[in-house]
Amino acid sequence: MSGPLDGSLPDRSFFERDSVRVAPELLGCTVTANGVTVRLTEVEAYREDDPASHSFRGPTNRTAVMFGPAGFLYVYFTYGMHYCANLVCGPDGSGAAVLMRAGEVVDGLEAARERRGGRVPDRDLARGPARLAQAMGWDRTDDGRDMVGAVRRTGEPGAVLAGPRTGITKAADTAWRFWIPGDRFVSPYKRHPKAPQAQAED
């Protein structure tokens, strides 16, 4: 698996590739915004031809950022209470992104605790996509923020596992969820109760 060298800042070309390639290479990277830095431990990839993707039905006012250029932040509101954040990938018009699902706050702990609540354990400050976005201080006003320069490689990509995505009802078994095995900052897998049962292999 190729990726930026230790400590380097990926340029826009890093994000201008297939989201399924970019996603595992983001693991172990740090993302910095609003006084907080998170080390990514879990991500999910989405493409325009993916029925689980917000971009599946084409551009809308809500999803315009997903269609490029790459390296920008796509933030959406979900369940009437949470924000989730994605890094846009692929060439202009491709409607692809990587959801930042979980991470470890490695800098700006006090700011993250203030946003998440003083009684939240450090492990849970950014363990889950809504928690991560809240810890980073992101909301819809950050939709379209340029993240090139805010993402840094902290070392060569290590071991990576891939499996079904969580919390979705369509294409739930597509193995585009990537995480660092054994990392305690990875969120628990939860299959959406309305997702069809996985088909057993012959």
Side-chain angles (χ1 to χ4, degrees):
M1 184 184 299
S2 63
L5 297 177
D6 186 16
S8 69
L9 293 168
D11 60 18
R12 201 168 307 281
S13 65
F14 172 79
F15 299 98
E16 289 173 338
R17 300 173 299 149
D18 183 357
S19 59
V20 179
R21 283 193 61 196
V22 174
E25 293 183 21
L26 284 169
L27 294 173
C29 285
T30 59
V31 182
T32 301
N34 302 320
V36 172
T37 299
V38 164
R39 175 183 64 89
L40 295 176
T41 61
E42 181 186 4
V43 294
E44 284 181 349
Y46 291 87
R47 290 173 174 163
E48 185 181 3
D49 60 356
D50 172 9
S53 176
H54 291 177
S55 60
F56 185 62
R57 299 187 183 281
T60 65
N61 289 337
R62 178 198 190 198
T63 64
V65 172
M66 280 192 77
F67 288 85
F72 285 76
L73 195 68
Y74 165 56
V75 181
Y76 64 88
F77 194 52
T78 183
Y79 295 116
M81 64 180 75
H82 299 303
Y83 295 97
C84 296
N86 305 255
L87 294 167
V88 175
C89 298
D92 283 4
S94 65
V98 174
L99 172 66
M100 293 176 278
R101 279 205 55 86
E104 174 192 7
V105 177
V106 294
D107 194 29
L109 271 169
E110 292 307 315
R113 289 188 188 117
E114 184 175 348
R115 292 168 185 152
R116 291 278 295 115
R119 296 185 178 182
V120 174
D122 288 356
R123 181 188 184 192
D124 292 331
L125 287 174
R127 194 168 66 113
R131 294 173 175 180
L132 188 152
Q134 186 178 18
M136 300 295 283
W138 285 328
D139 59 25
R140 279 288 291 174
T141 64
D142 295 287
D143 188 50
R145 173 187 285 202
D146 193 349
M147 296 300 290
V148 173
V151 178
R152 182 180 293 272
R153 172 65 71 191
T154 60
E156 287 299 318
V160 172
L161 289 181
R165 295 173 294 184
T166 183
I168 56 177
T169 59
K170 297 178 180 179
D173 295 308
T174 301
W176 290 350
R177 172 177 169 256
F178 304 93
W179 68 94
I180 299 173
D183 195 298
R184 71 190 191 97
F185 293 93
V186 173
S187 69
Y189 172 74
K190 293 182 180 179
R191 188 177 185 85
H192 196 289
K194 294 183 179 180
Q197 291 298 313
Q199 294 183 350
E201 296 183 1
D202 295 332

